[in-house]
Amino acid sequence: LLDETYPNIKFVYPFQRDAIFNTMSGNELNQYDVDNLPNFCKLSDALYLPNNTNPEGLRKIVSLSPHIKDLLFDTCQSITNDELNLLFNSLTIRKIDVDDMNDTSTLSVYLAKPNIGFNNITTITLRHVFKGDEVLSNLAKCCPKLQHLKLSNITMTDKSLMEISDHCKYIKTIQLSHNDNNEITDEGLIAITKANKRLRRLELTSLSKITDKTLQSLIENNHELRHLILNYMNFSTKEIENVSKNIPRIVDVIEKRRN
């Protein structure tokens, strides 16, 4: 699944805590795999971190792969502060992808605190993350180079989008999918899109409190917008047509409605 999602990225997988395993297939690594880990690490752009990452394996991989720029956290409830410090202090991280993070996990607390290791991040992807306002408000202040923001099923409010609009001015891609408490409104969405004049792609899914006001703001403020994808939104047909007609560089407006 990861290789299909990120076809241009080669992954290296840390050993699980209880044995030396290939975390994609669950098969034990043979001695050939272990011996050739240095060669594989040289080719790796991304580090995939499952829940049971082995600290020793992680240290070895980081030492062999100083060029890794992408971190993909899958659940990762057992990761420690020391392991996170190793990652963010030893590597120049450009992308973080987090799936399934509860509000008491070490990763959640870590991402909600200032860290100079976040300064080079250009892409943030969060899915099924609680404590979203704390995490996003902090990352907004620490990630001035942010260009791509992808959020799905996040417990968050307009506060997060306001913080991002105050600190991040170079965002090109925004994807927002229904958040758990459904508190995203026009106010927050207009703030972040208005602050990012270079926005090229906006994808919105199942945000029940967003109205035509957001589309009217896009027409007024986002003349660089190329792609607008609307899934199960409540916009009027007239306003969607106005976007197609009045944003000069728009390439496509794709709308999916409920039957």
Side-chain angles (χ1 to χ4, degrees), residues 44-59:
S44 300
D45 302 301
L47 183 60
Y48 169 59
L49 295 134
N51 189 38
N52 291 318
T53 300
N54 179 283
E56 184 177 350
L58 184 62
R59 284 192 294 272

mmCIF file of all heavy atoms in Angstrom, residues 44-59:
data_model
loop_
_atom_site.group_PDB
_atom_site.id
_atom_site.type_symbol
_atom_site.label_atom_id
_atom_site.label_comp_id
_atom_site.label_asym_id
_atom_site.label_seq_id
_atom_site.Cartn_x
_atom_site.Cartn_y
_atom_site.Cartn_z
ATOM 1 N N SER A 44 17.365 5.205 0.065
ATOM 2 C CA SER A 44 16.082 5.512 0.692
ATOM 3 C C SER A 44 15.861 7.004 0.852
ATOM 4 O O SER A 44 16.734 7.741 1.301
ATOM 5 C CB SER A 44 15.999 4.829 2.058
ATOM 6 O OG SER A 44 16.109 3.432 1.912
ATOM 7 N N ASP A 45 14.649 7.426 0.475
ATOM 8 C CA ASP A 45 14.246 8.816 0.654
ATOM 9 C C ASP A 45 13.346 8.999 1.869
ATOM 10 O O ASP A 45 13.177 10.101 2.366
ATOM 11 C CB ASP A 45 13.477 9.311 -0.581
ATOM 12 C CG ASP A 45 14.293 9.189 -1.845
ATOM 13 O OD1 ASP A 45 15.373 9.781 -1.901
ATOM 14 O OD2 ASP A 45 13.849 8.472 -2.765
ATOM 15 N N ALA A 46 12.721 7.897 2.307
ATOM 16 C CA ALA A 46 11.711 7.998 3.352
ATOM 17 C C ALA A 46 11.876 6.894 4.377
ATOM 18 O O ALA A 46 12.372 5.813 4.085
ATOM 19 C CB ALA A 46 10.312 7.926 2.742
ATOM 20 N N LEU A 47 11.439 7.199 5.588
ATOM 21 C CA LEU A 47 11.491 6.249 6.681
ATOM 22 C C LEU A 47 10.071 5.967 7.149
ATOM 23 O O LEU A 47 9.346 6.883 7.553
ATOM 24 C CB LEU A 47 12.320 6.831 7.828
ATOM 25 C CG LEU A 47 12.564 5.946 9.051
ATOM 26 C CD1 LEU A 47 13.294 4.669 8.649
ATOM 27 C CD2 LEU A 47 13.380 6.718 10.087
ATOM 28 N N TYR A 48 9.661 4.705 7.045
ATOM 29 C CA TYR A 48 8.331 4.284 7.478
ATOM 30 C C TYR A 48 8.444 3.726 8.897
ATOM 31 O O TYR A 48 9.201 2.806 9.164
ATOM 32 C CB TYR A 48 7.790 3.216 6.529
ATOM 33 C CG TYR A 48 6.547 2.532 7.013
ATOM 34 C CD1 TYR A 48 5.392 3.250 7.274
ATOM 35 C CD2 TYR A 48 6.521 1.156 7.215
ATOM 36 C CE1 TYR A 48 4.251 2.623 7.730
ATOM 37 C CE2 TYR A 48 5.385 0.513 7.672
ATOM 38 C CZ TYR A 48 4.251 1.255 7.931
ATOM 39 O OH TYR A 48 3.114 0.647 8.393
ATOM 40 N N LEU A 49 7.661 4.325 9.820
ATOM 41 C CA LEU A 49 7.757 3.964 11.225
ATOM 42 C C LEU A 49 6.456 3.327 11.698
ATOM 43 O O LEU A 49 5.472 4.026 11.921
ATOM 44 C CB LEU A 49 8.062 5.212 12.058
ATOM 45 C CG LEU A 49 9.435 5.822 11.739
ATOM 46 C CD1 LEU A 49 9.320 7.318 11.585
ATOM 47 C CD2 LEU A 49 10.447 5.451 12.787
ATOM 48 N N PRO A 50 6.434 2.009 11.863
ATOM 49 C CA PRO A 50 5.246 1.332 12.387
ATOM 50 C C PRO A 50 5.202 1.460 13.902
ATOM 51 O O PRO A 50 6.051 2.116 14.513
ATOM 52 C CB PRO A 50 5.462 -0.113 11.951
ATOM 53 C CG PRO A 50 6.949 -0.253 11.968
ATOM 54 C CD PRO A 50 7.516 1.080 11.547
ATOM 55 N N ASN A 51 4.253 0.797 14.523
ATOM 56 C CA ASN A 51 4.058 0.955 15.965
ATOM 57 C C ASN A 51 5.222 0.400 16.774
ATOM 58 O O ASN A 51 5.598 0.956 17.792
ATOM 59 C CB ASN A 51 2.750 0.280 16.393
ATOM 60 C CG ASN A 51 2.400 0.602 17.831
ATOM 61 O OD1 ASN A 51 2.611 1.723 18.279
ATOM 62 N ND2 ASN A 51 1.870 -0.368 18.548
ATOM 63 N N ASN A 52 5.818 -0.714 16.305
ATOM 64 C CA ASN A 52 6.836 -1.387 17.118
ATOM 65 C C ASN A 52 8.239 -1.199 16.561
ATOM 66 O O ASN A 52 8.953 -2.157 16.300
ATOM 67 C CB ASN A 52 6.515 -2.879 17.231
ATOM 68 C CG ASN A 52 5.280 -3.114 18.056
ATOM 69 O OD1 ASN A 52 5.105 -2.474 19.091
ATOM 70 N ND2 ASN A 52 4.416 -4.002 17.593
ATOM 71 N N THR A 53 8.637 0.026 16.371
ATOM 72 C CA THR A 53 9.970 0.313 15.853
ATOM 73 C C THR A 53 11.033 -0.051 16.897
ATOM 74 O O THR A 53 10.909 0.291 18.062
ATOM 75 C CB THR A 53 10.083 1.799 15.499
ATOM 76 O OG1 THR A 53 9.108 2.092 14.521
ATOM 77 C CG2 THR A 53 11.451 2.135 14.947
ATOM 78 N N ASN A 54 12.068 -0.706 16.457
ATOM 79 C CA ASN A 54 13.154 -1.100 17.341
ATOM 80 C C ASN A 54 14.166 0.037 17.465
ATOM 81 O O ASN A 54 14.679 0.519 16.454
ATOM 82 C CB ASN A 54 13.832 -2.353 16.779
ATOM 83 C CG ASN A 54 14.984 -2.808 17.634
ATOM 84 O OD1 ASN A 54 16.058 -2.229 17.596
ATOM 85 N ND2 ASN A 54 14.757 -3.854 18.406
ATOM 86 N N PRO A 55 14.482 0.497 18.694
ATOM 87 C CA PRO A 55 15.398 1.640 18.865
ATOM 88 C C PRO A 55 16.767 1.414 18.236
ATOM 89 O O PRO A 55 17.319 2.314 17.596
ATOM 90 C CB PRO A 55 15.497 1.778 20.389
ATOM 91 C CG PRO A 55 14.263 1.139 20.920
ATOM 92 C CD PRO A 55 13.941 0.024 19.980
ATOM 93 N N GLU A 56 17.320 0.218 18.420
ATOM 94 C CA GLU A 56 18.647 -0.055 17.861
ATOM 95 C C GLU A 56 18.612 -0.030 16.336
ATOM 96 O O GLU A 56 19.496 0.531 15.681
ATOM 97 C CB GLU A 56 19.154 -1.411 18.359
ATOM 98 C CG GLU A 56 20.574 -1.725 17.909
ATOM 99 C CD GLU A 56 21.077 -3.044 18.474
ATOM 100 O OE1 GLU A 56 20.404 -3.604 19.361
ATOM 101 O OE2 GLU A 56 22.136 -3.500 18.019
ATOM 102 N N GLY A 57 17.559 -0.644 15.772
ATOM 103 C CA GLY A 57 17.417 -0.616 14.320
ATOM 104 C C GLY A 57 17.242 0.792 13.801
ATOM 105 O O GLY A 57 17.790 1.167 12.755
ATOM 106 N N LEU A 58 16.488 1.605 14.535
ATOM 107 C CA LEU A 58 16.256 2.991 14.125
ATOM 108 C C LEU A 58 17.557 3.789 14.131
ATOM 109 O O LEU A 58 17.849 4.529 13.189
ATOM 110 C CB LEU A 58 15.232 3.638 15.064
ATOM 111 C CG LEU A 58 14.818 5.063 14.720
ATOM 112 C CD1 LEU A 58 14.157 5.118 13.355
ATOM 113 C CD2 LEU A 58 13.865 5.607 15.787
ATOM 114 N N ARG A 59 18.352 3.639 15.188
ATOM 115 C CA ARG A 59 19.629 4.360 15.252
ATOM 116 C C ARG A 59 20.546 3.957 14.105
ATOM 117 O O ARG A 59 21.228 4.807 13.510
ATOM 118 C CB ARG A 59 20.314 4.094 16.600
ATOM 119 C CG ARG A 59 19.710 4.855 17.761
ATOM 120 C CD ARG A 59 20.605 4.787 18.984
ATOM 121 N NE ARG A 59 20.710 3.427 19.504
ATOM 122 C CZ ARG A 59 19.868 2.902 20.381
ATOM 123 N NH1 ARG A 59 18.862 3.630 20.835
ATOM 124 N NH2 ARG A 59 20.039 1.674 20.817
#
